[in-house]
Amino acid sequence: MASQPSKPARILIADDHPLFRSALRTLLEGSEEVEVIAEATDGKETLGLSRRLEPDLVLMDVIMPNMDGVAATRAIKAEHPRTIVLVMTASEDSEHLLSALRAGAGGYVLKSADPEWIMQAVHKALERKFPLDQEIATRLLLRLSQEKHERQEDRVSPSPEALSAQERRIPPAAADDPDSGKLSPREAEVLR
């Protein structure tokens, strides 16, 4: 018995720029493995079409009118967790990437990427392999590393003013003396 050919993945394109939507549709229609089922021009329309059509994959712009792509991604993932959202944007801001990932995006690709890479990203997203633009990912990792370092610094060396008498290991009798708990400028520097 011959195996049935698999159905093409159903894709919804969400972008407020008609030229980009058209170019993306043309690129995707060159593949028999995907089918563009609808296009949306803003986040609210994307959410409505996602509810009605339940696409396999949404190609989502971040910056759109009425509801941005991050809010739309969050809403889609809350209602349809199996729908994959691949963010495609011109924004190279690592904050957008972090927000999109926190909202449940399954990848992040720049619109300026080579068309071949965009098709690879679509296929990777459909395989749940999480495609990510490498330059933006590097910036994000550096930012997260810096935030972690800052949090560790805050835990290790709080300001002298933030320390209670007990935290400074001052005996209770000395804690009652207003001058006994003060650190010298050098002690404060070492503590920092």
Side-chain angles (χ1 to χ4, degrees), residues 84-162:
I84 302 160
V85 178
L86 175 59
V87 171
M88 294 194 67
T89 185
S91 174
E92 296 187 22
D93 183 358
S94 60
E95 183 61 39
H96 283 142
L97 169 59
L98 189 57
S99 297
L101 298 180
R102 287 180 175 154
Y108 195 94
V109 179
L110 294 176
K111 289 179 179 180
S112 60
D114 183 82
E116 185 177 316
W117 165 240
I118 291 173
M119 282 306 296
Q120 288 176 12
V122 166
H123 291 292
K124 284 181 179 186
L126 287 166
E127 295 169 5
R128 300 187 184 277
K129 290 186 178 175
F130 206 85
L132 202 55
D133 180 85
Q134 294 305 303
E135 184 178 330
I136 300 294
T138 300
R139 280 192 232 157
L140 176 64
L141 290 173
L142 289 172
R143 179 173 169 220
L144 292 174
S145 175
Q146 180 181 7
E147 286 177 4
K148 181 179 179 184
H149 178 73
E150 288 169 359
R151 281 193 308 271
Q152 287 174 338
E153 257 184 16
D154 289 345
R155 269 185 279 170
V156 172
S157 58
S159 68
E161 298 81 25

Side-chain angles (χ1 to χ4, degrees), residues 41 44 73 117 132 151 169:
T41 60
K44 283 187 179 183
T73 297
W117 165 240
L132 202 55
R151 281 193 308 271
R169 294 187 166 77

Side-chain angles (χ1 to χ4, degrees), residues 30 33 51 64 66 98 126 131 170:
E33 298 168 355
R51 287 175 174 151
M64 293 188 293
N66 297 322
L98 189 57
L126 287 166
I170 297 173

